[in-house]
């Protein structure tokens, strides 16, 4: 618990340093676990709609209690596997989930092939370690060392990866 704020809350909020979600944006937090990064982001962006999903019921039960206790109106948490989640979103956030190439096929369907809202959409991952193999083959990605935003030692090896949706889905507009 002594590192809770840095390792979980601040780490989650690093996404807000990178991306300023506009009101009405829809964000899927894939494999939310204890609600990270979804809950801190939902507090920070109260006019953005968040879907927090995880395949483990106990985790979602805890997340739903947190959502209720914090009276968050912009968050829906569900026990559902990514393959079975069918809402259309603008962004997917991931923290401590498997390699991108494993889960990317599960989430492609969650991005409309037509960018009707004309906003930049994509995948935002919080990762650590050597990511060379994991990001090879993707075009137009942003790789941000989180030590750019934070001085704490924890962030020295942490990175944010952004992959625009147009890099992995077919867009006709």
């Amino acid at each position: 618990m002594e590192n809770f704020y840095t390792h979980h809350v601040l780490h989650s909020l690093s996404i807000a340093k990178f991306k300023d979600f506009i009101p009405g944006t829809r964000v899927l937090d894939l494999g939310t676990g204890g609600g990270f990064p979804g809950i801190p982001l939902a507090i920070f962006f109260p006019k953005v709609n968040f879907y927090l999903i995880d395949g483990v019921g106990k985790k979602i039960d805890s997340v739903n209690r947190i959502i209720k206790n914090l009276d968050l109106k912009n968050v829906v948490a569900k026990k559902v596997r990514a393959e079975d989640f069918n809402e259309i979103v603008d962004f997917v956030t991931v923290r401590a989930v498997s390699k991108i190439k494993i889960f990317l096929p599960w989430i492609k369907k969650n991005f409309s092939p037509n960018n009707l809202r004309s906003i930049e959409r994509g995948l935002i991952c919080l990762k650590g370690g050597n990511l060379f193999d994991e990001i090879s083959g993707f075009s137009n990605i942003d790789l941000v060392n989180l030590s750019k935003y934070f001085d704490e030692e924890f962030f020295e090896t942490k990175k944010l990866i952004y992959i625009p949706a147009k890099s992995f889905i077919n867009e006709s507009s």
Side-chain angles (χ1 to χ4, degrees):
M1 285 304 291
E2 72 181 74
N3 295 313
F4 177 79
Y5 176 74
T6 302
H7 292 194
H8 300 288
V9 177
L10 200 55
H11 190 217
S12 296
L13 289 174
S14 65
I15 292 172
K17 290 278 207 178
F18 176 78
K19 177 62 81 181
D20 185 14
F21 297 121
I22 63 170
T25 298
R26 298 164 307 217
V27 179
L28 167 61
D29 180 9
L30 173 66
T32 195
F36 298 99
I39 289 176
L41 289 172
I43 294 167
F44 195 83
F45 294 107
K47 295 183 179 181
V48 171
N49 302 306
F50 289 87
Y51 302 96
L52 282 56
I53 67 168
D54 203 292
V56 180
K58 287 182 180 181
K59 291 179 182 181
I60 290 299
D61 291 345
S62 293
V63 167
N64 275 317
R65 283 193 297 278
I66 294 166
I67 291 167
K68 182 179 179 184
N69 288 337
L70 294 174
D71 196 28
L72 295 174
K73 305 294 187 203
N74 60 330
V75 185
V76 173
K78 292 183 179 180
K79 178 191 176 288
V80 62
R81 295 177 52 84
E83 303 91 325
D84 300 322
F85 183 78
N86 293 312
E87 298 287 335
I88 299 297
V89 298
D90 301 305
F91 293 92
V92 173
T93 61
V94 175
R95 180 177 179 258
V97 176
S98 66
K99 296 193 181 298
I100 295 169
K101 292 174 184 169
I102 292 174
F103 67 78
L104 193 59
W106 305 339
I107 63 167
K108 283 183 181 183
K109 70 182 176 337
N110 299 108
F111 290 90
S112 171
N114 300 310
N115 190 358
L116 301 175
R117 292 170 23 90
S118 298
I119 65 169
E120 187 178 336
R121 305 169 300 148
L123 172 64
I124 302 172
C125 303
L126 295 175
K127 297 263 187 179
N130 183 345
L131 301 170
F132 180 78
D133 290 338
E134 189 163 356
I135 63 174
S136 68
F138 291 105
S139 60
N140 301 322
I141 73 164
D142 287 321
L143 179 63
V144 179
N145 290 316
L146 295 184
S147 59
K148 170 183 176 179
Y149 301 136
F150 305 109
D151 295 331
E152 290 83 357
E153 184 179 333
F154 171 76
F155 294 104
E156 288 298 318
T157 61
K158 302 300 180 193
K159 296 174 180 59
L160 180 147
I161 302 167
Y162 172 70
I163 305 174
K166 62 185 172 191
S167 296
F168 56 86
I169 63 169
N170 296 325
E171 294 188 284
S172 57
S173 67

